[in-house]
C-alpha cells in the first residue's frame, strides 16, 4: 500500500513520487499510457497484429518513383494509425485498413492511388482498371 506525494508530467510519461505506508520509504514511479493496436483480420480469417511498418511499406511501394515526399508519406501513415486507434476496436478487417490506405493515397497522388487500388481490389482486366480510373478523370475535368 502506497500513497502518492507528487505527480508531474514527464513528457511521454507521468512521474509520481510515492511513499510506502508500511515502512515510510519514498520512491519514484514512471507511468506511461500504452495504446493497444487492434488485431487485423485477414480475408482467410487469420488474425495478425496491426503493423505500422506494413502500412508504411504499402505506402512506399505505391509511391515509388512518384513526387511524394517522405514527410507526406509519414503524415499519411500517422493519420491512418490515429484513425485505427480512434476506432477503439480489438479487431479490424484488413479490407477496412486497405480502404483507409486508399483514402490517404487519393489525397497524396493519383498514380500511387491507382497502383495500390489495382492490387488491393485485385484488378484483373482493362475494364476493371478503367472503373478505377473514371472517378479520377471525372474529378480532374
Amino acid at each position: 500500500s502506497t500513497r502518492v506525494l507528487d505527480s508531474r508530467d514527464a513528457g511521454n510519461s507521468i512521474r509520481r513520487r510515492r511513499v510506502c505506508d508500511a515502512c515510510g520509504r519514498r520512491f519514484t514511479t514512471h507511468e506511461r499510457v500504452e495504446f493497444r493496436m487492434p488485431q487485423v483480420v485477414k480475408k482467410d480469417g487469420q488474425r495478425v497484429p496491426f503493423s505500422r511498418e506494413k502500412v508504411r511499406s504499402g505506402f512506399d511501394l505505391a509511391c515509388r518513383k512518384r513526387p511524394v515526399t517522405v514527410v507526406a508519406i509519414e503524415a499519411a501513415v500517422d493519420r491512418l494509425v490515429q484513425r485505427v486507434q480512434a476506432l477503439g476496436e480489438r479487431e479490424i478487417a484488413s479490407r477496412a485498413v486497405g480502404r483507409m490506405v486508399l483514402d490517404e493515397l487519393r489525397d497524396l497522388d493519383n498514380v500511387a492511388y491507382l497502383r495500390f487500388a489495382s492490387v488491393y481490389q485485385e484488378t484483373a482486366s482493362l475494364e476493371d482498371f478503367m472503373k478505377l480510373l473514371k472517378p479520377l478523370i471525372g474529378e480532374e475535368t
Side-chain angles (χ1 to χ4, degrees):
S1 167
T2 64
R3 285 183 297 127
V4 175
L5 299 176
D6 183 38
S7 292
R8 293 184 187 184
D9 183 19
N12 61 354
S13 66
I14 299 172
R15 180 183 179 272
R16 297 196 195 278
R17 191 73 180 142
R18 296 178 178 269
V19 63
C20 175
D21 290 335
C23 68
R25 192 167 194 172
R26 293 177 182 216
F27 59 97
T28 301
T29 61
H30 293 272
E31 302 170 12
R32 63 184 166 91
V33 176
E34 181 179 323
F35 293 106
R36 292 201 58 138
M37 294 303 288
Q39 293 283 310
V40 177
V41 181
K42 296 184 154 210
K43 280 192 257 186
D44 63 1
Q46 180 185 7
R47 285 165 172 71
V48 296
F50 179 88
S51 171
R52 177 189 173 86
E53 291 74 33
K54 284 179 87 171
V55 170
R56 173 61 199 255
S57 69
F59 273 88
D60 287 342
L61 193 58
C63 295
R64 181 176 291 151
K65 296 184 180 181
R66 297 297 305 152
V68 180
T69 65
V70 174
V71 173
I73 293 172
E74 275 301 317
V77 172
D78 288 343
R79 285 190 301 271
L80 187 140
V81 170
Q82 288 174 353
R83 283 177 62 186
V84 170
Q85 284 177 337
L87 292 174
E89 300 291 330
R90 289 178 164 233
E91 294 181 341
I92 185 169
S94 60
R95 294 192 83 45
V97 176
R99 282 191 299 273
M100 289 180 194
V101 171
L102 283 174
D103 291 344
E104 291 294 335
L105 284 173
R106 186 179 297 121
D107 295 337
L108 280 180
D109 185 75
N110 287 339
V111 173
Y113 168 81
L114 285 172
R115 283 179 180 167
F116 190 87
S118 65
V119 173
Y120 166 72
Q121 295 178 356
E122 299 173 355
T123 304
S125 68
L126 185 58
E127 292 79 24
D128 292 341
F129 195 79
M130 289 304 292
K131 287 179 188 174
L132 291 174
L133 194 55
K134 282 182 183 179
L136 296 176
I137 293 171
E139 288 178 6
E140 294 177 358
T141 56

